[in-house]
Amino acid sequence: MIYTSYFGSYRGDNGVSIARFYPSNFVAYPDLFPSSKLLRLKKSGMISDDEYKVQYYNEVLNNLNSEKVYSELNEKVLLCYEKAGYFCHRHIVAEWLINNGYKVKEI
């Protein structure tokens, strides 16, 4: 099982940042970072959530092996900045893993 959460609420020892910019007390998994360009487009409002998702798949997820990602992150908590219920790439990653047959849970 892989878990997801956000920096503001997570207080454990298994947290892994999938955010390009992250607090220094976390380890990171750069393979899941969105590109700087994609972040700028989203933060500036130049692309919608749907466009972001398509581009994130094209730039990141379509280039990864879900089995490898899952095995490297099993029992870890994937972290970014957005609170539960808000659009973010952490939820896209969770959906991708679930669609590939893996278990993911937001905590």
Side-chain angles (χ1 to χ4, degrees), residues 40-107:
R40 278 193 308 276
L41 290 171
K42 179 66 177 128
K43 289 181 185 273
S44 70
M46 295 179 69
I47 60 173
S48 68
D49 292 350
D50 290 338
E51 292 168 316
Y52 180 96
K53 183 176 178 178
V54 168
Q55 288 191 36
Y56 185 73
Y57 261 88
N58 288 337
E59 292 180 12
V60 177
L61 298 178
N62 290 341
N63 299 308
L64 296 174
N65 177 299
S66 62
E67 183 178 357
K68 179 180 181 279
V69 171
Y70 190 83
S71 69
E72 292 176 348
L73 296 174
N74 192 25
E75 298 301 319
K76 300 295 185 190
V77 181
L78 307 185
L79 301 166
C80 71
Y81 287 97
E82 301 300 329
K83 293 180 180 179
Y86 288 85
F87 177 83
C88 73
H89 76 293
R90 159 177 108 242
H91 299 116
I92 298 170
V93 171
E95 176 185 89
W96 174 71
L97 287 166
I98 291 166
N99 289 341
N100 280 284
Y102 302 103
K103 293 184 180 196
V104 180
K105 180 181 179 183
E106 178 81 13
I107 57 171

Side-chain angles (χ1 to χ4, degrees), residues 16-18 27-33 64 68-69 72-73 78:
V16 175
S17 174
I18 62 168
V27 298
Y29 194 81
D31 290 352
L32 293 174
F33 289 177
L64 296 174
K68 179 180 181 279
V69 171
E72 292 176 348
L73 296 174
L78 307 185

